[in-house]
Every structure is written in C-alpha cells, then in structure tokens.
Amino acid sequence: MNAATPHLDLTAPEVVRKISQRSLVIGVVFALISGALAFLRPDEFYSAYLLGFMCWLGVALGSMAIVMIRHLTGGGWGTVIRRILGAAMRTLPVLAILFTPIIIAVGQHRIYPWAMPLESIQDAHIREHLEKHSFIKASYLNFSGFFIRAIIYFAIWNVLSFLLSKWSKQTDHAGAPDNSGRFKAVAGPGLILYGFTISFATIDWVMSLDPSWISTIFGLLILIGEVLSAMCFAVVVERILFNYKPMSEMLTPDFVHDHGKWMLTFIMVWAYFSFAQWLIIWAGNLPAEITFYLKRLSNGWGSIGLFLVLFHFAIPFALLLSRPFKRDIRKLVWLAVWMMLMRYLDFFWIIEPNFSKSLTVTIADIVVPIAIGGIWLWYFFRNLAALPLLPAYDPDAHEVLQPAHH
C-alpha cells in the first residue's frame, strides 16, 4: 500500500455480512416453497429452475470475463470493482452444486425433448426432427454426454476462477509478488475458453430445448448478456458500498463513468447480436430456423419481444448517452437494477415459449429464481466480506488509492 495512505481500512463494511444473512433467510424460505412446487408442479418447477439458474450463472461467469478483460487492458475502473467481480466468480462451486436439479430433470425425462421417449413428445415438429436425426440423440444429446460435458464446463470455469482468485489474494499482503504476467497469461486463453465453453453449454442447456432449431450466433448472444448482467450487478453492489468507507473514498465519478460506458457498450452489442440473429434467419427463411421466432412472435409472446426492444435497448441506450447520468452512481444504479430485470425477461422470452404456446407466467417463474438468487447472494456477500475491498499491494492499486487521498 502507498506509504502515504497507511490508515485506509479496506475491510468490507458490516452491512455486507447483514445482507449475506438476510439473503440466506430469503433463499431458504423460497427454496422451501420451490421444493413444494417440485412435487406439486414438477414441469413448471424445472423450467423455472433452468430460467433462474441461467440468470445467476450469467452474473458469475460475466464477472469472471470482466476480471480477465481488466487484466488484459488495465485501468482503475476494473481495480475498484475487482473484488466485487471476484466474489461473484467464486460462487461457481455453489452454482455447480445448484446445477444438480437440471441433471435430475434430464434423468427424469423432463423439459428436454431429446431426453424423453419419442412417443411422449407433444410437439410434432420436434418429434419428427428427432426421428429423422436419431444419430444426434445417440451420439450427442444423451444423458451421459450431457452430464460429462457439464462437468467439463464447470471444471474449466472453476480452475480459471481459482487461479485468478489465488493470485489476487497474494496482493493483500506486503511484499506481494507482481502477478501481472500471470494474470495476462491466464486471461487471454481464459477468455477464449470462456467463449467456447459458454457457447457449448448454451447449446446443451438452452438451445436443445428445441433440438430442431439452430443459430450459430446464439452462444455469443448469451455471452454478451452475461457480461452485461455482471457489470450491472457490480454497479448495484458498488452503490450499496458507496454509503460506507472505503468505497465512498475510492469510487470516483470517473470510475462510475467508465462502468456506465461498459454498460452502454454491452447493451449495443447485445442489440447487434439480437438483430443479426433475426436478420440472418429472416433472410434464410428456412423452416428449421424460423420456428424460434414463430413461437415468440405470437400468442402474447410478441409483446415481450417488443418490450425488450424498447426497454432492454432503446431507452437504456438513450439514457446512457448522457454523460452526467453515467457519472452519477445514484442514478446509474436504477438503470443497472432495471437491466438485470431485463436480463431475466430476456431469458424468460427465450426459455418459456418452449413449454407454453401462449404467454403464461407461473408462480414457479417468480419463486424459484428468487430462491436460487437468495442462496447465490448469501455466498456472494460471504465471499465479499472475506477479503479487503481492494488488493492494496497490487501494482495497479495506486490508481484507486491515490484519488481517495488526493
């Protein structure tokens, strides 16, 4: 730490532990309700579970991706939220455990058509597709392949998280080594691995809900949504911490401005990928591809698609063009919260039409994601409280520490 700033206490405020405890209570209460739904309405439960799991997994993986981007590019914008992002990515072991109900759903022949006996598949188009392409089901879409690939995905993500966290913790003590080279050596290949693994995981966990549909850009669409979720979540947490030291002294308007610009960037890229997917499918006009939009533009689902165009892109884009808005954490946080709700709605629009022809919201769609979120937030805030809010002896820490004591 800079010798001129030895008195700065970087310990997380007590409110972090309080939020962790309250999150656990909420998670347990809603988990009990979710457990009842698993017995009473299993199909609704498992589809809602996949929805909630993908939302919170996106925050964890997106946080890891932003950490790796920060190590490759540098900048105080990433240093000030590095421990927030690190605490989020270290929830991956818990998410690996929380993936168990999805494995159970496959084993019980639920939600995924390829896991069901052909005669029980109600969608005639999907049933005919699986009959015609039975080799795909035999060679790729089967329980053992699904399970083994999930282990590989989580193993890669947890190894990356472990290495990034281990070297980051070393910078909390005097005499810490300069791990910049190590971070860059992992971050470059790590981002490539992240891109490949989340693309294949998305194919396995989301796209295979309709095995007859194909999109080569779908993995990138989910990826950009994850980094957007992570940046929005970081803004929400830094706003909570801004009421307390040391974040109140470290978080400058310039850093907040940078976070707002990242949000704007990710929103624009999400819109570009979404439009590109629609344009390519529309131009191709192939029956195997248009089924995705046919389901989602009729029977009430189209209203959600229009809502996403306006409130996931157009209005947030217009707001983030304002420089004063991006520099004010008290204003930016409200948009960050809204965008996290839009990420939930986007996943809802992607996943739920596979299970209901008309727009339907079940109690499980609300309760189950809250249950997963409560447990996830408990572990996140536990992680956040375990380490100082800044790696004080990291070579880049001066970018944050010096403005705090200018």
Side-chain angles (χ1 to χ4, degrees), residues 85 104 160 216 254 288 303 342 387 404:
L85 300 171
I104 294 173
L160 289 173
T216 54
D254 287 340
S303 59
M342 289 300 95
L387 296 175

Side-chain angles (χ1 to χ4, degrees), residues 6-84:
H7 62 281
L8 184 61
D9 183 7
L10 299 175
T11 306
E14 184 61 28
V15 69
V16 170
R17 293 177 177 81
K18 291 181 180 179
I19 296 176
S20 177
Q21 294 169 357
R22 292 169 183 172
S23 298
L24 180 60
V25 172
I26 293 173
V28 169
V29 171
F30 279 81
L32 292 174
I33 301 173
S34 300
L37 290 173
F39 286 100
L40 299 174
R41 302 176 182 178
D43 291 335
E44 292 181 7
F45 166 80
Y46 284 115
S47 63
Y49 194 93
L50 178 64
L51 168 64
F53 181 84
M54 292 302 299
C55 288
W56 292 105
L57 176 70
V59 178
L61 290 180
S63 295
M64 184 173 68
I66 295 174
V67 167
M68 291 189 286
I69 292 172
R70 160 60 186 80
H71 287 312
L72 291 175
T73 61
W77 67 268
T79 304
V80 75
I81 58 173
R82 189 164 129 190
R83 285 293 161 82
I84 296 173

Side-chain angles (χ1 to χ4, degrees), residues 34-190:
S34 300
L37 290 173
F39 286 100
L40 299 174
R41 302 176 182 178
D43 291 335
E44 292 181 7
F45 166 80
Y46 284 115
S47 63
Y49 194 93
L50 178 64
L51 168 64
F53 181 84
M54 292 302 299
C55 288
W56 292 105
L57 176 70
V59 178
L61 290 180
S63 295
M64 184 173 68
I66 295 174
V67 167
M68 291 189 286
I69 292 172
R70 160 60 186 80
H71 287 312
L72 291 175
T73 61
W77 67 268
T79 304
V80 75
I81 58 173
R82 189 164 129 190
R83 285 293 161 82
I84 296 173
L85 300 171
M89 75 178 179
R90 292 199 303 278
T91 61
L92 283 167
V94 169
L95 286 166
I97 297 172
L98 291 175
F99 189 72
T100 303
I102 298 177
I103 295 291
I104 294 173
V106 176
Q108 294 182 351
H109 311 299
R110 297 186 184 277
I111 69 176
Y112 294 102
W114 52 265
M116 304 174 184
L118 287 175
E119 60 274 10
S120 67
I121 300 175
Q122 297 181 356
D123 191 313
H125 175 71
I126 294 178
R127 184 171 61 251
E128 291 173 4
H129 176 84
L130 290 174
E131 288 176 345
K132 183 178 179 181
H133 302 281
S134 57
F135 67 94
I136 296 178
K137 184 175 181 179
S139 61
Y140 190 86
L141 291 179
N142 53 70
F143 179 81
S144 59
F146 184 91
F147 182 68
I148 292 171
R149 289 193 299 274
I151 292 176
I152 294 172
Y153 303 147
F154 280 107
I156 292 173
W157 297 336
N158 277 282
V159 167
L160 289 173
S161 174
F162 172 77
L163 292 175
L164 295 170
S165 299
K166 176 185 176 182
W167 296 330
S168 180
K169 291 176 184 178
Q170 293 177 354
T171 58
D172 288 330
H173 309 287
D178 184 356
N179 289 324
S180 301
R182 288 180 172 179
F183 284 130
K184 290 181 179 179
V186 168

Side-chain angles (χ1 to χ4, degrees), residues 206 218 222 292 296 345-354:
V206 181
F218 188 69
I222 298 299
F292 180 87
R296 290 161 180 81
L345 188 64
D346 187 35
F347 269 119
F348 181 82
W349 189 69
I350 291 171
I351 292 173
E352 291 300 328
N354 291 291

Side-chain angles (χ1 to χ4, degrees), residues 253-254 256-265 267-268 314-329 331-332 335:
D254 287 340
V256 177
H257 190 199
D258 289 338
H259 300 159
K261 288 189 287 187
W262 277 111
M263 287 173 58
L264 176 61
T265 300
I267 287 172
M268 289 192 297
I315 293 177
F317 173 79
L319 289 173
L320 287 170
L321 291 178
S322 168
R323 186 173 187 271
F325 182 86
K326 291 197 294 285
R327 294 176 65 85
D328 190 342
I329 186 62
K331 295 178 180 178
L332 188 63
L335 181 59

